[in-house]
């Protein structure tokens, strides 16, 4: 599994602590440094079963500067949102875990991390 983190984020650090405590085999991706491109964002959104506006941190300064609150939230605007996330990765909700079973989840709670762990291949 892979976990997208911002090391400054307490939820990310908590998720890593739990993964370590469970002895999980995972790869860390510091997505602010190793920025996902638009195709990677699309793939993760597909795995999450979410739309880009569902994983956008709308309280970030960049979101306010871009006026994201006023952007359409429909299929016609999807690519625009994905481009914004690729160009401003700080807008991506975190942590995101891509589980071994092909799914992904936003792991902001211990329960979500446990859910990801339960999806490990036996």
């Amino acid at each position: 599994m892979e976990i997208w983190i911002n090391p400054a984020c307490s939820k990310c650090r908590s998720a890593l602590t739990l993964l370590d405590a469970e002895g999980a085999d995972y790869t860390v991706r510091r997505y602010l440094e190793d920025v996902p491109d638009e195709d990677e964002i699309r793939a993760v959104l597909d795995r999450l079963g979410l739309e880009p506006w569902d994983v956008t941190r709308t309280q970030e300064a960049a979101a306010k500067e871009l006026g994201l609150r006023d952007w359409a939230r429909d299929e016609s605007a999807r690519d625009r949102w994905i481009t914004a996330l690729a160009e401003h990765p700080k807008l991506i909700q975190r942590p995101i875990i891509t589980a071994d079973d092909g799914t992904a989840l936003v792991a902001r709670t211990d329960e979500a991390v446990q859910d990801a762990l339960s999806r490990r291949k036996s």
Side-chain angles (χ1 to χ4, degrees):
M1 78 178 64
E2 181 176 78
I3 181 170
W4 291 9
I5 69 157
N6 172 350
C9 169
S10 62
K11 302 262 187 214
C12 293
R13 292 191 307 271
S14 177
L16 291 174
T17 299
L18 186 52
L19 290 173
D20 288 341
E22 294 291 330
D25 181 21
Y26 64 92
T27 302
V28 170
R29 180 171 186 169
R30 294 178 181 221
Y31 70 92
L32 298 179
E33 299 164 16
D34 182 8
V35 179
D37 63 27
E38 291 182 24
D39 288 338
E40 289 175 295
I41 292 170
R42 278 187 191 87
V44 165
L45 288 169
D46 288 346
R47 290 175 78 168
L48 287 166
L50 297 173
E51 294 296 338
W53 46 86
D54 297 325
V55 299
T56 300
R57 299 172 54 83
T58 57
Q59 297 303 313
E60 292 288 336
K64 292 175 182 174
E65 289 170 19
L66 291 169
L68 290 181
R69 285 195 181 269
D70 299 326
W71 288 16
R73 294 177 182 219
D74 59 27
E75 187 60 34
S76 70
R78 191 171 198 267
D79 286 343
R80 182 179 186 200
W81 282 86
I82 291 170
T83 298
L85 293 174
E87 291 177 354
H88 305 278
K90 198 168 194 177
L91 296 176
I92 300 171
Q93 189 59 266
R94 70 219 177 215
I96 292 176
I97 296 177
T98 54
D100 291 339
D101 69 353
T103 62
L105 47 87
V106 178
R108 296 190 54 76
T109 64
D110 287 351
E111 293 78 17
V113 176
Q114 289 291 349
D115 187 7
L117 287 166
S118 74
R119 299 175 188 196
R120 286 189 282 195
K121 292 179 182 170
S122 304

